Amino acid sequence: MSTIALIRREAAGWADAAEARPHMAVAVLTLTALVLRVIWGSLVPVLPTSDSGAYMLFARTLFEHGEYAMAPGDATAFWAPGTGAMVAGLWYVFGVSFTPIVVVNTIYATSLVPMTFVLAERWGGTITGLVAAALMAFWPTFVMYVTVIQSELPFLFVLMAGLIAYTTRWPAAWQRIIVSGIFFGIACYFRPVALLLPLALGFVAVVRDFRAWKREVVAAVATMLMMLVVLSPWTYRNYVVLGTPALVSTNFGLALWNGNHPGTPGTYVPEPEWLKGLTMAEREKKLRQEAMDYILAEPGAFVWRTMWKAVIQHRGQTIAVVWNPYVEQRYGAVVVFILKAVASTYWYGCVALGLAGFGIAIWRLGLIGLFHPAFLIWAYFTGVHAVTQAGGRFQLPSVPFVAIMAAITLVLVFRLGDPLGRLSRPPRGGSQGAGGGPDA
């Protein structure tokens, strides 16, 4: 028997055992993920750097003065308030310390394992769900991210909860709308990039079952309205305090300009000097207008620039190592190099497997395979930043969906079962959301 055949046989044996007791398998993977993250959190202390330092300033001002600002009297809406408010809330309950932040980050990062299983199982069957959960359990960046104060972990936690709610079969349609809308709205407090996600989910559902287009269009629009309700207190605060009804933050103009101005590197650059003296609302408007003028002046160049940024959006995955400066201080540059190599190799491997999974979906499902829910969400997050600015941290919201697409390839290669599960079968009238609920 060849080595490949032997590996396939062993993998099939493990898969059969796991599929017979999937909840036990998910529990084991979740516990393994927890242990890895606890070990990292116990060995590497938090040392805020870059954006983490800014979040700390917001949290301290909010905690000590009840004002969302980097310093008292300097109210702002340039940054989404979720992360700073979360840290301030933890300090209010548990005292000023990094420990509750690491504990909560560990919970977020560990919870992504069973959450990914739920979505992958709905879109690809039990085995695909287990493989995707295994990839998430060992994902190096999410092990190292528990000692980083950033928005990605809480954003992904709430986002995944919203996706599970949106794709669940509810007794009444309004329950789906309210629950998912609340979760998606909270996610926007951390990263506004989720604002248009219900439209993408509705599009997937309509493509899969055109007969349900009225229901899905209404659900998508109603969910977005629910998100606006959730965001309305902050929008009102911005109007009262800043004089501009910014929905969440006022940094969209800078993000759009960063990726669309003469000589742009496609990534973050500081605000230009000519903005000095303008109000926050005026700066946002001016940058947005400059970017739009540049786009409209050369639409062909914009298309190529957007495609290029979509590619560089997938360069390496070293941000968690960079934002843990203690690693280099305590363990040296060699360890930093090894961790960066491991994290990026894992990322590149899963991206390659994920793209292959996309090809498998097209091969198995035809044109509908172009709109596999996991791939569309991956493309959605990639596209938002390809239009605006690319960056290492901006690929992180795509990770669970890259893992799901990668799992499709692994399930097929090792002949563990049908990697597309329910998506391989025609939808039934009772399904809800992108890919349907558990009984779709």
Side-chain angles (χ1 to χ4, degrees):
M1 180 179 294
S2 68
T3 302
I4 294 178
L6 181 61
I7 293 174
R8 282 176 171 168
R9 188 180 71 176
E10 291 297 320
W14 281 97
D16 289 341
E19 190 172 23
R21 303 181 68 183
H23 294 97
M24 178 62 70
V26 173
V28 170
L29 289 171
T30 303
L31 180 60
T32 302
L34 176 62
V35 170
L36 291 173
R37 287 147 179 78
V38 169
I39 291 173
W40 177 271
S42 65
L43 293 176
V44 180
V46 176
L47 287 180
T49 183
S50 185
D51 291 359
S52 298
Y55 288 128
M56 292 295 295
L57 291 175
F58 283 122
R60 186 167 294 280
T61 306
L62 187 59
F63 176 72
E64 295 178 349
H65 303 278
E67 182 182 8
Y68 185 73
M70 281 193 172
D74 188 24
T76 182
F78 185 78
W79 298 62
T83 306
M86 180 192 73
V87 173
L90 290 172
W91 285 350
Y92 180 81
V93 175
F94 300 105
V96 179
S97 166
F98 289 133
T99 300
I101 301 171
V102 174
V103 170
V104 169
N105 277 349
T106 300
I107 293 171
Y108 290 151
T110 303
S111 298
L112 293 178
V113 175
M115 292 173 128
T116 300
F117 168 78
V118 171
L119 290 174
E121 192 273 339
R122 292 179 180 181
W123 296 333
T126 301
I127 293 299
T128 302
L130 291 173
V131 174
L135 291 173
M136 289 298 294
F138 294 96
W139 204 284
T141 295
F142 286 144
V143 173
M144 295 183 282
Y145 227 70
V146 299
T147 49
V148 174
I149 303 173
Q150 291 291 347
S151 61
E152 283 76 21
L153 281 180
F155 170 78
L156 264 175
F157 176 80
V158 184
L159 178 83
M160 296 290 278
L163 287 169
I164 291 171
Y166 198 86
T167 58
T168 292
R169 182 190 299 276
W170 294 88
W174 62 267
Q175 294 171 320
R176 170 194 178 195
I177 291 167
I178 290 178
V179 176
S180 62
I182 289 174
F183 280 125
F184 288 149
I186 295 173
C188 288
Y189 275 107
F190 292 96
R191 298 199 66 79
V193 70
L195 278 169
L196 300 179
L197 185 58
L199 294 181
L201 297 174
F203 178 71
V204 171
V206 170
V207 169
R208 175 149 170 77
D209 184 9
F210 186 74
R211 296 168 299 176
W213 74 269
K214 289 184 180 179
R215 181 187 68 214
E216 295 303 331
V217 168
V218 169
V221 173
T223 301
M224 291 186 67
L225 291 175
M226 188 67 220
M227 293 168 66
L228 295 179
V229 171
V230 173
L231 293 170
S232 60
W234 181 251
T235 305
Y236 180 72
R237 173 266 184 192
N238 292 338
Y239 175 71
V240 172
V241 175
L242 305 174
T244 178
L247 189 60
V248 181
S249 58
T250 59
N251 59 15
F252 175 75
L254 179 61
L256 188 65
W257 180 85
N258 275 334
N260 298 280
H261 68 268
T264 175
T267 54
Y268 174 78
V269 294
E271 287 186 344
E273 290 293 323
W274 46 261
L275 288 178
K276 287 185 176 180
L278 299 180
T279 66
M280 187 177 301
E282 290 170 340
R283 291 200 302 269
E284 203 278 337
K285 182 179 179 180
K286 181 67 174 176
L287 287 168
R288 188 173 66 246
Q289 187 60 54
E290 290 279 329
M292 290 303 302
D293 290 344
Y294 186 64
I295 291 170
L296 295 174
E298 299 183 51
F302 167 72
V303 172
W304 282 109
R305 191 166 58 249
T306 299
M307 295 170 62
W308 168 65
K309 284 184 286 183
V311 173
I312 65 172
Q313 181 70 17
H314 292 82
R315 289 187 305 188
Q317 194 168 94
T318 62
I319 195 68
V321 185
V322 173
W323 280 345
N324 274 295
Y326 178 84
V327 174
E328 183 169 12
Q329 295 177 15
R330 176 65 176 82
Y331 302 106
V334 173
V335 173
V336 169
F337 175 80
I338 293 172
L339 290 176
K340 285 183 176 182
V342 169
S344 289
T345 300
Y346 201 96
W347 166 247
Y348 283 134
C350 287
V351 167
L353 290 171
L355 293 174
F358 179 53
I360 291 168
I362 297 173
W363 169 51
R364 292 284 301 277
L365 303 178
L367 291 178
I368 291 179
L370 290 168
F371 308 102
H372 187 286
F375 183 80
L376 192 76
I377 297 172
W378 175 6
Y380 170 84
F381 286 123
T382 299
V384 168
H385 292 293
V387 170
T388 54
Q389 69 182 60
R393 66 182 295 189
F394 301 140
Q395 63 189 221
L396 295 182
S398 302
V399 165
F401 314 103
V402 173
I404 293 173
M405 298 307 297
I408 291 173
T409 301
L410 293 172
V411 170
L412 186 69
V413 168
F414 288 100
R415 301 176 184 173
L416 304 180
D418 181 1
L420 294 168
R422 296 182 179 92
L423 291 183
S424 299
R425 301 192 291 272
R428 283 164 30 186
S431 65
Q432 292 187 19
D439 300 320

